[in-house]
Amino acid sequence: MTDVIMPQMGESIFEGTITKWLKKPGDRVERDEPLFEISTDKVDAEIPAPAAGVLKEIKVSEGQTVPIQTIVAVIDGGGASVAAAPPPAKVEAPAATPESKRTGPPASKPAPSDVPRPVAAAAPHVDAERVRSSPLVRKVAKEHGIDLTQVPGTGAGGRISKKDILAAVESGVGRGPAAQPGQGQAGGTVHAALESAVPRERIYFGRYEVQPMSVMRQKIAEHMVASKRVSPHVYSMDEIDMTRIVQLREEERRRIRRDLHDGLGPALAGLTFTLEAVRNLTESDLRRADELLVSATEQVQTMIGDVRRLIYGLRPPTLDQLGLAASLRGLASQESSPGTSVTIDAPSSLPQLPAAVEVAAYWIAQEALTNVKRHAHARTCSVRVAVEPTVLRLEVADDGGGLTNGSTGIGLHTMKERAAEIGGTCEIGTRAGGGTLVAASLPRRTPEATG
């Protein structure tokens, strides 16, 4: 006796499903002859017989899934003698005919008994499942209505290969009349109402055929469901109004363009003329050339200051290094001149403020002091910083000429935009005693920080 076990088709495969038995109990099998078909997570295959003999018992039926190394069938190695037993059994059938002859009338029945013999001989020829072929070959034959018993096999032992079935499909060999699409199933009558009615599933999916799932497809379906359940399938979307930010960016570009065009550009042009004059005077008037070089040095220093101011206007580095209070003191000292005295009244240290509030306060103070220096013609200017429970107050006052009627410069608009951007306010007006007052109220907690 030889046990047929469920083989292991891979390192990660630990079970298999028997999809079809190619032999029945009592059938003669040869060694390495396909015995049954299995399906696993990764592969479908035909399993050959481990030994020659007669298939004595099938322990696992079709459709069952069992672990590897499970005994699924038993082959009797002494099947040669067992296979020889059926011929004597058939000899006993003629032995019954003499008994029937003794009865008299039934003697005429031996002739009919001879008729079934050709039919019995033709039965093995019609059984297409006994033809040696792979599952793929049988699937193609089923789809094209080809009788495998009529297809010659060129493989080992007359096995029908994929090449043989494809050649039969092209030539039409073995195509039977059963595969006619126009006839109803089993010759049944099809009513017009039922024929015209379309099931809802067919409306959604078209023509389809329900088939049992293989083990591989079951595993794929399980993994797809697990992926749907475990993997995140959500998204978060926030809408942000960038209008004010874009406007502020454009205002900054215009300010930088104005400063470059009105300040640094003319200064560079004037320096070019000065250096050209120095070159012309080097041979005729050295004293005058020396005076022009001194003037050119002063122009270069002024331009360096303008460039530094533009850089600091983009992102004041002193805020990160010194803090807001010390940065405002340095700004007041920088903007002071012999003609205009700038003083500051602020606490020695300020509480921790949001970065946006510090940047807005610094820029508003810088823009206000720049306007005082360039346009106010003031003698004194004061900067006051006060910290209240909910707001930071910044005031810049001067005793200059004040605002003219209809003053709408870019700098004034920029100061208001910077305050509004963080939820604050900035008011610009004329002082009662003369001059200009810039009063900004900035929240100590921005909307982003409170949210």
Side-chain angles (χ1 to χ4, degrees):
M1 297 292 181
T2 302
D3 293 333
V4 182
I5 63 173
M6 174 64 70
Q8 184 175 11
M9 304 302 293
E11 295 182 358
S12 60
I13 298 176
F14 302 99
E15 63 180 11
T17 301
I18 296 181
T19 58
K20 186 176 183 180
W21 282 99
L22 305 179
K23 298 290 184 178
K24 299 178 182 178
D27 289 350
R28 175 72 183 182
V29 294
E30 300 295 337
R31 181 180 178 84
D32 296 331
E33 182 181 3
L35 183 59
F36 60 96
E37 298 176 1
I38 66 170
S39 177
T40 64
D41 295 350
K42 297 183 178 180
V43 66
D44 295 347
E46 289 182 346
I47 305 303
V54 175
L55 182 59
K56 181 179 180 181
E57 181 184 2
I58 295 179
K59 294 181 175 294
V60 179
S61 59
E62 295 180 357
Q64 288 187 346
T65 302
V66 294
I68 59 175
Q69 305 301 325
T70 300
I71 299 176
V72 298
V74 177
I75 296 178
D76 185 1
S81 59
V82 178
K90 290 183 181 180
V91 174
E92 293 177 359
T97 55
E99 296 178 359
S100 61
K101 290 180 182 179
R102 294 175 185 176
T103 58
S108 59
K109 292 184 179 180
S113 64
D114 294 337
V115 176
R117 289 194 178 184
V119 178
H125 178 72
V126 179
D127 191 0
E129 294 185 357
R130 298 300 182 91
V131 178
R132 300 184 63 183
S133 60
S134 65
L136 176 61
V137 171
R138 290 193 290 272
K139 180 180 178 182
V140 175
K142 182 179 179 181
E143 292 177 352
H144 294 82
I146 296 178
D147 185 4
L148 291 179
T149 59
Q150 301 181 18
V151 178
T154 59
R159 184 182 183 87
I160 300 177
S161 63
K162 179 180 178 181
K163 181 179 179 181
D164 298 334
I165 189 64
L166 294 179
V169 171
E170 295 180 358
S171 61
V173 174
R175 192 181 301 274
Q180 296 180 0
Q183 296 181 354
Q185 295 180 353
T189 303
V190 180
H191 297 280
L194 298 178
E195 182 69 19
S196 59
V198 180
R200 180 177 299 178
E201 293 81 1
R202 183 169 297 179
I203 296 176
Y204 296 149
F205 305 108
R207 295 187 176 274
Y208 66 95
E209 181 181 356
V210 179
Q211 294 183 352
M213 295 178 63
S214 63
V215 178
M216 183 183 299
R217 292 188 180 276
Q218 289 178 1
K219 295 299 182 181
I220 293 175
E222 292 175 0
H223 293 166
M224 292 178 66
V225 173
S227 174
K228 178 67 176 179
R229 184 175 61 254
V230 176
S231 301
H233 294 274
V234 297
Y235 64 91
S236 177
M237 181 177 64
D238 296 327
E239 292 186 3
I240 302 176
D241 187 3
M242 301 290 293
T243 304
R244 295 169 61 185
I245 296 178
V246 173
Q247 292 175 351
L248 182 61
R249 182 186 63 184
E250 293 300 321
E251 293 295 340
E252 283 296 308
R253 289 178 175 177
R254 292 175 184 175
R255 183 183 66 83
I256 295 174
R257 182 187 63 183
R258 181 199 61 191
D259 292 344
L260 293 176
H261 181 272
D262 299 342
L264 191 59
L268 289 174
L271 179 61
T272 302
F273 295 144
T274 301
L275 294 177
E276 185 68 20
V278 171
R279 187 177 68 84
N280 295 332
L281 294 174
T282 52
E283 295 181 359
S284 59
D285 192 348
L286 293 179
R287 183 173 174 276
R288 178 57 180 167
D290 184 68
E291 293 177 355
L292 292 177
L293 286 177
V294 173
S295 176
T297 303
E298 295 176 353
Q299 293 179 21
V300 171
Q301 292 177 349
T302 302
M303 286 185 288
I304 292 175
D306 292 340
V307 172
R308 185 180 292 111
R309 181 175 57 82
L310 289 175
I311 296 174
Y312 287 177
L314 297 176
R315 172 64 185 179
T318 55
L319 289 178
D320 299 328
Q321 300 172 0
L322 305 176
L324 179 59
S327 298
L328 291 178
R329 289 188 176 89
L331 185 62
S333 176
Q334 180 181 350
E335 297 296 338
S336 295
S337 64
T340 303
S341 174
V342 180
T343 59
I344 183 169
D345 179 14
S348 57
S349 61
L350 297 175
Q352 185 176 3
L353 299 171
V357 174
E358 292 183 343
V359 172
Y362 185 89
W363 272 333
I364 291 173
Q366 182 189 53
E367 186 65 30
L369 292 176
T370 300
N371 290 336
V372 170
K373 184 177 181 179
R374 290 187 175 183
H375 308 295
H377 306 290
R379 291 176 297 176
T380 60
C381 177
S382 62
V383 179
R384 189 177 74 88
V385 179
V387 180
E388 297 182 2
T390 58
V391 296
L392 174 70
R393 297 194 180 277
L394 172 66
E395 294 182 357
V396 180
D398 65 78
D399 59 356
L403 297 176
T404 59
N405 293 333
S407 298
T408 57
I410 295 177
L412 303 179
H413 180 70
T414 301
M415 287 189 287
K416 294 181 179 180
E417 283 290 335
R418 294 193 188 282
E421 183 182 9
I422 58 174
T425 60
C426 182
E427 298 179 358
I428 304 173
T430 303
R431 296 176 60 189
T436 305
L437 174 64
V438 177
S441 177
L442 307 177
R444 292 182 58 179
R445 289 183 177 273
T446 60
E448 292 78 4
T450 57

